[in-house]
Amino acid sequence: MALAGLLLSACATSFPPAPASAADSEYNYVIGPGDNVNIVVWRNPELSMSVPVRPDGKITTPLVEDLPAMGKDATTLARDIEKELAKFIRDPVVTVIVTGFVGPYSEQIRVVGEAAQPRILPYNQKMTLLDVMIAVGGMTEFADGNNATILRTAEGNKQYSVRIKDLVKRGDVSANVEMRPGDVLIIPQSWF
């Protein structure tokens, strides 16, 4: 029995607890493949339309072909479209509204391991661990929720421990932490 305890403690790697607050107040949503953008060209309804961002990160609209959209915010994309349309119409005024948010792959939250429905989620500002767990339907019966970790890609793949079981099963809100763009939540399987 003592040998089993020693082996388990040797295998367990401890990580520092995740900080409760992780959101960047300067966060600005950037467009990614799979997003839909609604382009409104003032006084030119024939040029206004909703288009998807293709897997290669580009969009195509009337008079504007293969314009890169990925990694830009809505305002930057609107100015780029205005530059392209200025070749054909005088002083275009463009507004871009992002709908159907997916975001770039580098900002999506990934949930792997013993989640009821492991998946990729679009990042939302102020998103918390509880929000993520609700979106993936909780944990499986084999999950070791209190040994879960967050791999924070924004900090050079630094790992933090999180207590999902305490949060979800026991309602301990002190275990709730904010997520950051690109976080990977890893829920291991329980040994017992």
Side-chain angles (χ1 to χ4, degrees):
M1 184 74 156
L3 181 60
L6 182 62
L7 286 174
L8 283 177
S9 65
C11 292
T13 306
S14 67
F15 297 103
S21 178
D24 182 4
S25 61
E26 298 295 318
Y27 178 74
N28 204 8
Y29 183 82
V30 293
I31 297 168
D35 286 348
N36 283 310
V37 291
N38 188 14
I39 300 166
V40 179
V41 183
W42 187 55
R43 293 189 177 170
N44 289 279
E46 67 281 359
L47 299 176
S48 300
M49 63 179 37
S50 183
V51 297
V53 179
R54 300 187 317 234
D56 64 358
K58 297 178 182 179
I59 61 169
T60 298
T61 67
L63 303 178
V64 179
E65 293 182 359
D66 298 331
L67 183 69
M70 185 171 75
K72 297 177 182 178
D73 63 16
T75 303
T76 303
L77 181 59
R79 297 304 79 82
D80 290 350
I81 294 170
E82 286 174 352
K83 285 180 199 171
E84 293 297 316
L85 288 177
K87 298 172 187 174
F88 306 101
I89 60 175
R90 186 179 317 146
D91 300 323
V93 177
V94 176
T95 302
V96 171
I97 303 165
V98 182
T99 59
F101 299 95
V102 175
Y105 295 122
S106 62
E107 292 195 359
Q108 295 173 358
I109 306 292
R110 289 161 175 78
V111 184
V112 297
E114 295 299 313
Q117 300 166 358
R119 67 174 70 173
I120 296 174
L121 304 168
Y123 173 77
N124 294 310
Q125 190 171 15
K126 300 286 186 184
M127 178 183 244
T128 66
L129 180 60
L130 182 59
D131 298 325
V132 170
M133 292 312 300
I134 290 169
V136 299
M139 301 178 291
T140 68
E141 62 182 295
F142 305 109
D144 188 1
N146 282 347
N147 280 325
T149 58
I150 292 176
L151 178 75
R152 188 144 288 160
T153 59
E155 295 177 9
N157 292 337
K158 187 172 182 181
Q159 274 191 277
Y160 295 102
S161 65
V162 289
R163 299 176 294 126
I164 298 173
K165 182 177 180 183
D166 289 348
L167 174 64
V168 175
K169 301 287 185 189
R170 297 186 181 124
D172 182 358
V173 294
S174 69
N176 199 15
V177 298
E178 285 186 15
M179 304 299 285
R180 289 202 56 193
D183 278 357
V184 179
L185 177 60
I186 304 163
I187 306 171
Q189 187 175 27
S190 176
W191 292 94
F192 301 100

